[in-house]
Structure formats: structure tokens, C-alpha cells
Amino acid sequence: MSEIPRKAAHRTAKLASLPLGVAGRVVGGWGKRLAGRSSEEVSAEMSAKTAEQVFAVLGQLKGGAMKFGQALSVFEAAVPDELAGPYRDALTKLQTSAPPMPVRTVHRVLAEQLGAAWTKRFSSFDDTPAASASIGQVHRAVWHDGRDVAVKVQYPGADEALQADLKQLLRFSKVFQMMAPGIEVKPLLEELRDRYLEELDYRTEADNQRVFAKAFDGDDRVLVPRVVASSPKVMVTEWIDGTLLSKIIRDGDRTERDLAGQLLAEFHFSAPSRAGLLHADPHPGNFMLGSDGRLRVIDFGAVARLPDGLPKTLGVITRMALEGRSEDMVELFRAERFIRPGMEMQPDDLINYLSPFVEPLRTETFHFTRKWLQCEAERVSDFQNPESQAGRWLNLPPQYLLIHRVTLGATGILCQLDANVQARAIVAKWQPGFDD
């Protein structure tokens, strides 16, 4: 495969195979049960085969299909263990890998973007990709001045594929809903569509990364690589080494897990105040832990622009929830249009729904676990639970949607890490309105 399959009919057929495949396995499962196999055995086999098909298709298509799979991967921690097993390895693999481009295609893109004499810009260039992602792959090279650099090359056809995928995936959101209980997948996908279309021009990403690199220059907790050169389809940045969070999630020790979680939470909450931007693509493939104890952050294609930092309203709401000020919360929620028009929200229902979300702030250190996140996902998705009903009365204004998704994604990573984090101190320092 020389580049992303870009024809809409081809990509639609690939994506359409997902719900058809699931349906076929359901029918086949009934037959196996009639043949005497237990429902547990059949369900486990079906889950494994579904996971294999879903992520094989997403990985082959790259583009928006793969980006959506990466976004969902951080919610894996919310899936009950008996269902998550077959998906876990496939999700982790999807975060960091995809079929690579042929060398001739890479060279063609480099020539188009950096000029016919592009090789003179480098002292050396490794044709074997160091990493592959959704709309581009990364090569290691040495810049002409001797600096080790990472060269991100966009897949030909990525723009057409991204738009085609995100349009088609809206039709199949129910297939992905089963992998993220408690999360409304369709609104998430619609929001992702808008953010991901911004990523197609690497010059925009380069500008974002320059802002982050300047804001965190010399920081002893976070390292953002500097941009060396950029064009619409190629970006060159300083090379950085570290252990991917996906590897720490898989086999990291307690010290690594806690440090990675603490640094990730600090970066998430501090960036809007320090850089005026929020890194909006939280998945473990975009973060590394260096040997110097600093968090490495990459991939700045998707950001939320917050020139005034995180909204003060979120800090006020968080403080009210911690203090159980239900009447004040309902009043503020109505003023900020967090409650759907015409809905009568009982103060006790609202506080009962929101209180568990601020549980990590009730103690000096909170242990983020899969079990905790699974309980929360089950609670908000149980239609028989009055608290779940309260959640369906709420409305998230557009200006808060991306912040909410990033916070959920970062929380998912913390639970995958099984990290102990001093979350209250971080929020108190960086969230406006919390300590006012």
C-alpha cells in the first residue's frame, strides 16, 4: 500500500465491514451456543474477533478512522475487565503503529515539500520510520547542523481520507459505543472532526508547538521539542528520547507510574495558563517519560485556544461540588446554560451526580484506578439510576466541550497508569476560580 486509500467508496466499504462483521459474529454466536458451548466462551471469542477486526480496519485506513480509534483508546480503562481484555492490546498497538509508506513515497513527499535538493538539508536520513500514526509517520534524521531530528511526513491523501472517514464514522458510532460505556460517542466524534481537520497543515501544528516550547523552555518537569523547520506536509523537530506512557502502562513500576501521572496532570492543568493553549490529543502515544524525570510531550496538531487560561466557571463549579453547595450550583448551571432549557433540575440530584467526579480532590493524594473509572462509567450510563437521569438533563456548552474531552482523556490515562496523583494541589494552583 503506497498511500492512504482515498476513494470514498473503498473507505466506506472498509468501515461498513465493521457493523456487518459484528452482526455476523452475533449470529454465529447463537449457533455455537445451540451446539453446546457456554455463553462465556462464545462472548469471549466474539469480543476477541471484533477487536481484531475493528483495529485492523482502523489501522489500515489510517486517517480519521485511526485517529478516532486512538481517541477511544484512552477510555479503555472505563471498560469492565471482562470485556476490555481483547481490546487492550489492540488499542495500545493502534496508538503507536500503522502500516508504513514505501520509501519512494516518503522521498516524493519530502521533495515536494522541502525542494528537490531536500537531501542537502540532512546529514543523514533513516528511511525506516521510527513511528507511524494516523495522518503521518516519523523518521529519524540528522539535520545539516548536526542536531538529531524527528521528521514527520504526512501520508499522501490524508486530507481526503480524514474528511471521508469522519463523515462515514458518524454513521457507525453505535459500533464504537460498546467500547466506551458512559461516553456519548457521536458528539465526541463531531467535535473530533472539527479539531482534526485543523491538523492537516503542519505549519499550524508547528506554530502551536513553538508556543508550547517557549512556554516550557527550561522547565524541570516538562520538555517540548523545538521546531526546526516546517511546511504544509512535513515538519522537522528536535529528536527526543523517552519511555512511552503506553509502555509504562503495560509494565512500568510504581515509581514510574506515579511520576508519569503526576507530570501529566500538571501539564494538562498548567498549559492553558502558561501557553494559552490546551494540548487536545491526549493518548499515551503522545507522552514519554525521560531518564531525567521530565515528561516529554509531542503532537500539537489539535489544541484548544484558551488565551485567558482555563475558564474560571469550571473552578467555581468544582469548589461548589466539593462543598456540597447544591442550590448555588443549580443557579450557576442555569446562568451558564449547563442545564437544558425547560428542564427542572433538583439540587440534590445535581450534587449527587457531580460529587463523585470531584472525588480525586477530596484527599491530598488520589489513586486513579481502572476500577474507580469503571464504577463511574457504569453509574452515569445506568438508565435506572436517578443520578444518570440527572446527567441527561445537563448540557455542555460548545466552549467547554474540548476541555471536557481532554480532561476525560487525561483521566483515562491516569487510570491506565494506576497512578497516585496529588490532584488537589494541582487544581488549586492552576484552575482559576477554585481557590477564590
Side-chain angles (χ1 to χ4, degrees):
M1 182 171 60
S2 62
E3 54 190 53
I4 295 182
R6 62 177 84 187
K7 291 185 179 179
H10 173 80
R11 300 184 67 81
T12 300
K14 280 276 191 180
L15 291 170
S17 71
L18 297 179
L20 290 174
V22 172
R25 277 185 287 281
V26 170
V27 174
W30 278 106
K32 290 176 181 178
R33 290 190 183 99
L34 291 174
R37 293 182 61 183
S38 71
S39 60
E40 289 79 9
E41 289 178 316
V42 174
S43 295
E45 181 180 324
M46 288 172 61
S47 292
K49 289 184 177 179
T50 299
E52 182 180 351
Q53 181 195 14
V54 166
F55 298 108
V57 170
L58 295 184
Q60 289 169 7
L61 289 179
K62 304 177 185 177
M66 186 175 171
K67 291 198 76 65
F68 185 49
Q70 289 176 333
L72 281 181
S73 71
V74 298
F75 299 115
E76 169 268 325
V79 181
D81 289 336
E82 62 270 19
L83 299 178
Y87 294 104
R88 194 162 288 156
D89 291 340
L91 282 163
T92 300
K93 184 177 180 181
L94 184 65
Q95 290 165 352
T96 56
S97 62
M101 282 186 282
V103 173
R104 66 179 181 277
T105 305
V106 174
H107 289 186
R108 173 166 59 83
V109 175
L110 288 168
E112 291 171 351
Q113 298 295 308
L114 300 181
W118 67 269
T119 55
K120 294 182 179 180
R121 295 200 175 200
F122 301 95
S123 296
S124 64
F125 184 91
D126 189 345
D127 287 331
T128 302
S132 298
S134 51
I135 62 172
Q137 65 187 36
V138 178
H139 292 258
R140 187 162 189 171
V142 178
W143 198 238
H144 60 79
D145 62 5
R147 280 182 289 176
D148 289 331
V149 293
V151 185
K152 184 155 71 168
V153 183
Q154 190 173 120
Y155 302 123
D159 48 355
E160 298 170 43
L162 189 63
Q163 295 183 60
D165 286 355
L166 293 171
K167 181 178 179 180
Q168 294 300 329
L169 281 167
L170 281 169
R171 302 181 181 182
F172 305 135
S173 57
K174 289 183 180 179
V175 177
F176 300 98
Q177 185 70 61
M178 65 183 180
M179 287 178 277
I183 303 297
E184 287 294 331
V185 171
K186 191 169 183 178
L188 170 67
L189 182 55
E190 291 172 340
E191 188 271 324
L192 286 174
R193 173 192 58 201
D194 297 337
R195 298 284 74 76
Y196 290 153
L197 291 177
E198 296 176 358
E199 296 187 44
L200 290 170
D201 189 338
Y202 282 170
R203 292 172 299 183
T204 300
E205 178 176 353
D207 289 342
N208 295 337
Q209 187 159 335
R210 289 186 181 99
V211 173
F212 274 95
K214 182 178 180 180
F216 287 91
D217 184 34
D219 192 81
D220 62 355
R221 308 282 282 175
V222 174
L223 173 63
V224 177
R226 293 184 179 89
V227 176
V228 176
S230 63
S231 68
K233 308 296 182 185
V234 171
M235 186 167 74
V236 183
T237 65
E238 293 176 337
W239 181 269
I240 53 173
D241 289 305
T243 304
L244 284 169
L245 261 59
S246 54
K247 185 178 187 302
I248 296 176
I249 287 169
R250 186 171 63 250
D251 52 27
D253 61 29
R254 171 49 52 199
T255 300
E256 291 175 318
R257 292 176 181 278
D258 290 348
L259 178 58
Q262 183 74 20
L263 293 176
L264 179 65
E266 289 176 1
F267 174 74
H268 167 63
F269 276 96
S270 68
S273 293
R274 300 179 65 175
L277 299 172
L278 176 67
H279 185 287
D281 193 7
H283 72 79
N286 285 339
F287 303 96
M288 293 176 274
L289 188 61
S291 59
D292 59 358
R294 287 191 292 174
L295 183 75
R296 276 85 166 122
V297 186
I298 59 175
D299 200 339
F300 296 88
V303 300
R305 304 190 184 284
L306 300 169
D308 299 320
L310 290 168
K312 182 177 180 179
T313 299
L314 295 181
V316 175
I317 289 172
T318 303
R319 170 62 68 177
M320 288 179 175
L322 274 175
E323 296 175 351
R325 293 159 54 190
S326 57
E327 299 282 352
D328 292 339
M329 286 189 69
V330 170
E331 183 178 341
L332 179 60
F333 268 51
R334 289 201 182 281
E336 295 289 331
R337 302 194 305 278
F338 280 102
I339 297 177
R340 299 180 189 278
M343 293 292 181
E344 289 298 325
M345 176 71 73
Q346 296 300 316
D348 287 346
D349 291 339
L350 178 61
I351 202 71
N352 289 337
Y353 176 76
L354 292 176
S355 287
F357 290 120
V358 297
E359 185 179 348
L361 308 182
R362 297 190 187 280
T363 57
E364 182 178 341
T365 301
F366 184 77
H367 188 191
F368 288 86
T369 67
R370 282 188 165 94
K371 183 177 180 180
W372 171 74
L373 192 59
Q374 288 162 12
C375 289
E376 291 308 302
E378 182 178 355
R379 180 178 68 88
V380 299
S381 61
D382 180 5
F383 293 157
Q384 304 302 316
N385 188 334
E387 295 177 11
S388 176
Q389 182 65 48
R392 291 193 292 277
W393 291 337
L394 296 178
N395 172 59
L396 193 63
Q399 66 268 31
Y400 294 102
L401 184 58
L402 188 55
I403 299 171
H404 181 61
R405 179 178 72 79
V406 173
T407 302
L408 285 176
T411 300
I413 297 175
L414 296 181
C415 292
Q416 290 176 321
L417 285 166
D418 192 51
N420 292 285
V421 177
Q422 295 176 341
R424 186 184 179 100
I426 294 172
V427 172
K429 181 175 181 179
W430 296 108
Q431 173 60 68
F434 182 77
D435 265 352
D436 291 359

